Amino acid sequence: MLLFPAFLLLYMVALSGNLLIVVVIVSSPALHTPMYFFLVNLAVVDILCTSTILPKLLDSMMADRTISYGGCIVQLFFFTWSMGAELLLFSAMAYDRYVAICWPLRYSALMDPGVCRLLAMAVWTVSLANTSVNTGLLLRLPFCHSNVVQHFFCEIPPLLKLSCAPTHLNEAMAFTADIILAVGNFSVIMLSYVCIIASVLRIHSAAGKRRAFSTCSSHLLVVTLYYSTVIYTYIRPASRYSLDKDKVVSVIYTSVAPSLNPLIYSLRNTDVKAALRDSLKKIHGVSFLYKCVFYANKIGKQGYLKGENKKANPCDSIQRMPFWCEQVLFDMYL
């Protein structure tokens, strides 16, 4: 039972943090750039991943420890889709940083909105094709050994261990997908960061170097954490699957990484923090504005009931509002 509050906290942090990132970026015109466009996609992927795994896990901790065959397949489909999309998104984000730092004068041309939309479409389409193939290959397998999944969610390696038919094709497809989506993308990202570091070292300004490294360090941290655990899980045959060890590794890329992503990208990013402060200020101002309007309306009604100012201008009541109402209105429209 001690694990329940831990996973509940991870789910709440991942869900609220990623939703907050989406709302802040969408509502802030200053953040409508390629970098934050891909960050919104990453937040959506993390919401999909955690919402596929953690609600059922929390339910199994409290009461029902079973899952239907259809529910297991659906969980596998959406988890594999989100995992593939996340792996590809990291490459798209690395390419965006590479162009921004190594080719700054051509950045607006190479990363225009059409290119960004095309990259995002490719990410979701390729990952959808990957999960469709892997799920389809799994559906053709008979499961006659046991109905106990030795894991906290339905994932390819533990499900293959339950099959009484040869799983060589499934393992080969999972291995190929891992080589292309994980190892291949990770190699591309590392190569892009070698070029980025070489370009940054040529910057003469110390402030410019700090800004460039600050922009890329958060992305590199998330990439290293995510790719290392995914490669470890899927690069091996199902026969070498270890119950306790692989459960811990799976927690990292299904729960911990999606929870850390909004914290890393927001706390280490001055633009996101500034946009978040502006959004909170607007929300705070709107709440006070409603109070001011209510107060002005109340003053007007009180004056009317007392027989005062029956023919007065309705705006006269605003002049009788307290100073803090006038200050809120001034700050909001400054």
Side-chain angles (χ1 to χ4, degrees):
M1 291 300 293
L2 293 177
L3 292 177
F4 181 84
F7 280 104
L8 179 61
L9 178 63
L10 285 173
Y11 182 53
M12 296 304 296
V13 170
L15 189 62
S16 58
N18 285 292
L19 280 174
L20 183 63
I21 281 184
V22 172
V23 171
V24 168
I25 292 177
V26 170
S27 62
S28 302
L31 299 182
H32 291 178
T33 62
M35 175 180 173
Y36 298 106
F37 171 78
F38 292 121
L39 188 55
V40 167
N41 279 267
L42 182 64
V44 172
V45 168
D46 286 336
I47 292 172
L48 175 63
C49 177
T50 52
S51 298
T52 300
I53 305 298
L54 294 183
K56 181 57 185 176
L57 174 61
L58 294 170
D59 178 61
S60 66
M61 287 181 175
M62 294 299 295
D64 188 11
R65 296 180 61 87
T66 63
I67 184 171
S68 66
Y69 176 76
C72 185
I73 295 300
V74 169
Q75 189 180 66
L76 171 70
F77 179 88
F78 282 102
F79 167 71
T80 309
W81 190 13
S82 65
M83 182 178 64
E86 186 142 1
L87 293 170
L88 291 168
L89 269 173
F90 285 141
S91 293
M93 295 170 73
Y95 173 71
D96 171 68
R97 293 300 85 207
Y98 166 75
V99 175
I101 295 174
C102 299
W103 303 92
L105 298 180
R106 300 181 59 189
Y107 180 72
S108 58
L110 294 174
M111 295 299 295
D112 62 55
V115 173
C116 294
R117 286 192 291 269
L118 184 63
L119 286 173
M121 189 182 302
V123 164
W124 288 100
T125 303
V126 171
S127 57
L128 178 61
N130 172 62
T131 189
S132 299
V133 171
N134 278 287
T135 305
L137 289 175
L138 194 74
L139 286 171
R140 56 184 283 276
L141 294 177
F143 296 96
C144 49
H145 286 166
S146 171
N147 63 348
V148 179
V149 180
Q150 298 293 339
H151 208 355
F152 62 89
F153 71 102
C154 293
E155 195 175 14
I156 292 176
L159 289 179
L160 293 182
K161 295 191 72 173
L162 301 181
S163 175
C164 55
T167 59
H168 303 301
L169 180 59
N170 299 74
E171 292 183 15
M173 184 58 206
F175 180 83
T176 303
D178 190 58
I179 291 294
I180 296 173
L181 296 179
V183 179
N185 280 286
F186 187 68
S187 301
V188 170
I189 291 172
M190 290 299 103
L191 180 61
S192 69
Y193 271 98
V194 169
C195 298
I196 288 172
I197 292 172
S199 180
V200 168
L201 292 177
R202 290 196 294 267
I203 298 176
H204 299 292
S205 169
K209 289 181 180 180
R210 283 196 301 270
R211 180 173 178 81
F213 279 121
S214 175
T215 302
C216 300
S217 59
S218 57
H219 179 241
L220 193 58
L221 177 63
V222 173
V223 163
T224 304
L225 177 68
Y226 196 84
Y227 275 89
S228 59
T229 53
V230 171
I231 291 172
Y232 171 81
T233 300
Y234 285 89
I235 205 73
R236 301 163 301 150
S239 58
R240 296 184 59 186
Y241 180 81
S242 173
L243 173 60
D244 297 326
K245 188 184 298 184
D246 286 8
K247 273 187 177 181
V248 175
V249 173
S250 298
V251 168
I252 295 175
Y253 60 80
T254 60
S255 307
V256 176
S259 303
L260 289 179
N261 283 350
L263 299 177
I264 291 173
Y265 283 111
S266 59
L267 294 179
R268 295 178 59 88
N269 191 302
T270 55
D271 294 334
V272 173
K273 288 190 288 187
L276 179 59
R277 283 194 297 268
D278 291 342
S279 298
L280 292 176
K281 183 179 178 181
K282 289 179 182 179
I283 295 172
H284 184 68
V286 169
S287 66
F288 269 97
L289 179 61
Y290 278 115
K291 291 181 181 179
C292 292
V293 172
F294 174 78
Y295 190 85
N297 188 43
K298 184 177 180 181
I299 291 174
K301 286 183 178 179
Q302 287 178 347
Y304 181 81
L305 291 175
K306 292 178 182 178
E308 301 173 0
N309 302 325
K310 291 184 179 180
K311 297 181 180 181
N313 192 321
C315 295
D316 291 344
S317 59
I318 298 179
Q319 298 175 0
R320 299 169 61 186
M321 289 191 299
F323 171 75
W324 55 268
C325 280
E326 298 176 11
Q327 188 64 37
V328 167
L329 293 173
F330 178 76
D331 290 341
M332 286 186 63
Y333 295 99
L334 185 62

